[in-house]
Amino acid sequence: MTDTEFETEQRSRIHALAPPAGTAGALYLNRTARRVFDQDCEFLRTPRNRSNIDVYLTDMLQPYDLRPDADRLAAGTGQSYGEMALALIGDTVDEPVDLLVLAFAVPDVWPGRATATYLSAVCPGQPMAFAICDQGSAAAFTGLRLVREYVVSGACRRALLVVVEQATLHYPSSGSAPVPDRHAGVALLCTNEPGAAVSRRWDPVRISTAVTPEQAPAVLATRVAEQRGPLTLVAGAGLDPATLPDTVPVRTAPAGQPYTGAWWELSGMLDASGAVMLADYDPVLGYLCTAYCGVE
Amino acid sequence: MTTLEAVATYLPATRTPIADLAEVLGLTPMQVTLFDRFNGLRDVGWDNEASLLDLLVAATERLTALRGNEHRVRYVLHARAFAVVVPFAHNPLHELTHRLGLGHAEAFTVTQQSCATGLLAIDIAGRLLAADGDSEALALVLAGEKAFTRDSRLLPETSVFSEGASACLVAANGPRDRLLSYASLPRGDFDSDDAAEVAARFQRDYRGCLSAVMEAATAQAGLRMEDITLVLPHNVNMVSWRRVCKRMNFPVARVFLDNVARAGHVFCADAFINYQSAREQGMLRPGDRYLIAAAGAGFGATFSAMVFEH
């Protein structure tokens, strides 16, 4: 291959974007998939990989006077977001997508991997891909928000949001942020035009900051009240069920899925539901997030 | 139109010769010599006393434009090459926002494009601000990391990472440094178990990928490479930039390479460190169109370029 031929081939893979210049469209929810991963990942079955992860974790933990849990690492417990997302891509994507956003709170068992970039190579369309983290349960909402901004601004047409959580830390957890009970993931394929039998359109995601646990019920009640028409509230694990609004039907996230729970529930109810408001609260970081998906 | 309002950076004062780190990095004397002679990398800045939070605080303390404008900051983005750098659920980013009086801002990390993530963060910040439609609102884009482990210290035969940090205020409609275009080339196929095969393929494709993405960003801006007055590179090494320039027939004198030796490769912060130096040296004049280029490599690779008008 000549230099010119090589660069021509590379150019076909490049995502060239103009700066945002207003909104030109809408974002629709086209398809979803959800999976629980009962098995541990393939990646940690390889002794060399476990050894590399031990080195990484040992160095990362040293300033915190922590050590990796050698037994747990030797057992190869935990899941890889690359393996989980690969399965979810297979469940949702059959046409090229332009953008892939991976959202997570709990670290991957392969901490140094640029997983989103890897996924760009295995996802149809070789999308621009990146990850959002360090925001607790709000990371998935930020991911959806970014998907929406890239699509409605015309930068992308089809985008995949992948929300994942895995349940194993190879060292003692610190702080009060919850660790999941199981490995789970949800994928949402979103497009700039309705493609499903029922046309489901996302409103702008709303993220409130510095919300105290005492304030969260009232903030959520206001969000629900502001929305005209009937809806089902899908409440994530960070919201206290006893404080949820009683003015609308409510579905709560399954136990043990603090970061994917609301998205899991959404994925399971789409066929039979009308408008949905997705909501979650991160009591550690103070984010209260809502995303309204209406039916046209 | 996304704009850069202000940039500040922090680099550790102490530099350590790469030769002194040969054992830590697993380098032979010949490899140390090659880093010096061919790559232009003689020393690195590792601040062994500073945490990640300390690095980010040091950069934001130098961002004088932030003082008095904290209430305008709606988003804080940490552009990071490595997704996982502290034990769960430590969160230096949110510690920083509270320390700076930015608890009202939405803060998150954008990652997994390796060292090209810094340009992505600018694009994301601009899109969030544009969607909000508040002309007063700002986003604070942070970059900078610790070289805490083998993977974040050394790119074999290519570069050695330095520590440091940058802080950049982004606006939706500011008066200076308007973003004209952004181009990104993901190469997730460089993620493979066969390290030697990937390394060979990466070396083979590197110049072509970087050239293609720089030309794509320039074309998206409605320009040609000859219109670009200055390229602000990633500081990975000297030799690769000479080769890229030769391939593109672009004068290497128009690539700002002063910081390769002075600052080293500071993860996602290179773009901002070089922007600040170029401004301080009077190398950006009003109306100049300049290009920032980045290549992130590790497991997978992303090549990115942005064109701005100063």
Side-chain angles (χ1 to χ4, degrees), chain B:
Chain B
M1 187 74 78
T2 305
T3 56
L4 306 182
E5 284 285 288
V7 172
T9 62
Y10 165 73
L11 295 172
T14 305
R15 308 284 300 176
T16 306
I18 290 175
D20 292 356
L21 299 169
E23 185 175 340
V24 173
L25 296 170
L27 298 176
T28 65
M30 177 58 76
Q31 287 172 316
V32 171
T33 301
L34 289 173
F35 267 122
D36 184 358
R37 290 189 185 169
F38 289 95
N39 292 346
L41 295 166
R42 185 168 296 171
D43 50 37
V44 294
W46 289 359
D47 190 340
N48 295 327
E49 303 303 315
S51 67
L52 173 59
L53 177 61
D54 294 333
L55 295 177
L56 298 177
V57 166
T60 54
E61 283 177 345
R62 289 159 171 77
L63 189 65
T64 55
L66 178 61
R67 303 288 92 76
N69 285 307
E70 289 86 349
H71 63 288
R72 296 172 57 195
V73 176
R74 188 165 293 183
Y75 305 99
V76 181
L77 289 75
H78 187 190
R80 213 162 61 217
F82 286 81
V84 182
V85 295
V86 294
F88 183 78
H90 287 267
N91 199 321
L93 176 61
H94 282 81
E95 287 183 58
L96 179 75
T97 60
H98 289 291
R99 188 180 290 198
L100 295 177
L102 299 174
H104 58 278
E106 296 173 38
F108 58 92
T109 291
V110 55
T111 185
Q112 296 192 345
Q113 288 194 358
S114 300
C115 298
T117 310
L119 300 188
L120 171 69
I122 294 173
D123 192 63
I124 287 174
R127 288 179 193 281
L128 289 170
L129 294 168
D132 290 342
D134 177 358
S135 60
E136 289 294 301
L138 299 169
L140 176 60
V141 173
L142 305 165
E145 294 175 48
K146 293 290 293 178
F148 69 93
T149 191
R150 185 176 59 196
D151 291 348
S152 63
R153 286 173 178 154
L154 178 70
L155 278 171
E157 299 176 33
T158 303
S159 195
V160 182
F161 289 94
S162 280
E163 296 178 354
S166 63
C168 173
L169 284 174
V170 175
N173 281 298
R176 65 172 68 92
D177 293 300
R178 291 190 306 132
L179 174 63
L180 302 181
S181 66
Y182 170 49
S184 175
L185 170 56
R187 287 293 304 270
D189 57 302
F190 287 132
D191 182 309
S192 165
D193 287 339
D194 189 341
E197 184 273 334
V198 165
R201 206 152 41 86
F202 183 76
Q203 293 298 334
R204 185 195 70 198
D205 289 0
Y206 175 87
R207 282 170 287 163
C209 289
L210 196 53
S211 303
V213 81
M214 290 169 65
E215 287 170 349
T218 306
Q220 178 67 44
L223 303 171
R224 295 178 299 177
M225 280 306 294
E226 48 263 46
D227 299 319
I228 300 298
T229 58
L230 188 67
V231 169
L232 302 179
H234 62 299
N235 299 334
V236 63
N237 63 47
M238 298 289 278
V239 68
S240 67
W241 275 106
R242 292 194 189 103
R243 290 171 176 166
V244 168
C245 288
K246 185 177 180 184
R247 181 180 179 118
M248 298 180 74
N249 196 26
F250 187 81
V252 71
R254 298 222 300 260
V255 181
F256 185 79
L257 292 168
D258 294 17
N259 281 333
V260 173
R262 189 184 75 85
H265 182 27
V266 191
F267 300 90
C268 302
D270 285 359
F272 306 98
I273 291 166
N274 289 334
Y275 168 84
Q276 187 181 41
S277 295
R279 280 199 68 184
E280 288 170 353
Q281 295 180 31
M283 300 181 73
L284 292 174
R285 296 159 302 178
D288 278 357
R289 278 79 176 263
Y290 62 98
L291 182 147
I292 303 178
F299 299 101
T302 301
F303 300 83
S304 293
M306 274 183 159
V307 176
F308 288 86
E309 182 176 70
H310 185 60

Side-chain angles (χ1 to χ4, degrees), chain A residues 131-181:
Chain A
I132 299 294
C133 62
D134 291 347
Q135 204 183 20
S137 63
F141 287 85
T142 294
L144 178 61
R145 182 180 195 159
L146 295 178
V147 162
R148 189 176 184 281
E149 301 313 340
Y150 274 92
V151 170
V152 301
S153 66
C156 299
R157 292 187 305 114
R158 297 165 61 82
L160 187 70
L161 173 65
V162 182
V163 185
V164 285
E165 61 189 343
Q166 66 91 22
T168 301
L169 296 175
H170 294 111
Y171 51 86
S173 177
S174 58
S176 55
V179 177
D181 290 345

Side-chain angles (χ1 to χ4, degrees), chain A residues 179-281:
Chain A
V179 177
D181 290 345
R182 63 184 67 85
H183 317 310
V186 182
L188 287 78
L189 180 66
C190 300
T191 56
N192 66 343
E193 53 189 23
V198 178
S199 175
R200 299 180 182 279
R201 175 172 162 156
W202 288 107
D203 276 6
V205 174
R206 298 177 66 182
I207 299 176
S208 294
T209 60
V211 178
T212 65
E214 294 74 25
Q215 294 168 331
V219 174
L220 179 58
T222 302
R223 296 274 178 83
V224 170
E226 287 171 351
Q227 206 66 52
R228 284 176 293 180
L231 64 84
T232 299
L233 177 65
V234 178
L239 289 161
D240 180 353
T243 66
L244 297 174
D246 57 8
T247 53
V248 294
V250 175
R251 295 182 64 152
T252 54
Q257 293 180 218
Y259 305 106
T260 65
W263 308 88
W264 177 274
E265 198 62 26
L266 171 75
S267 177
M269 63 184 285
L270 274 189
D271 290 343
S273 77
V276 172
M277 178 179 281
L278 210 61
D280 211 344
Y281 175 60

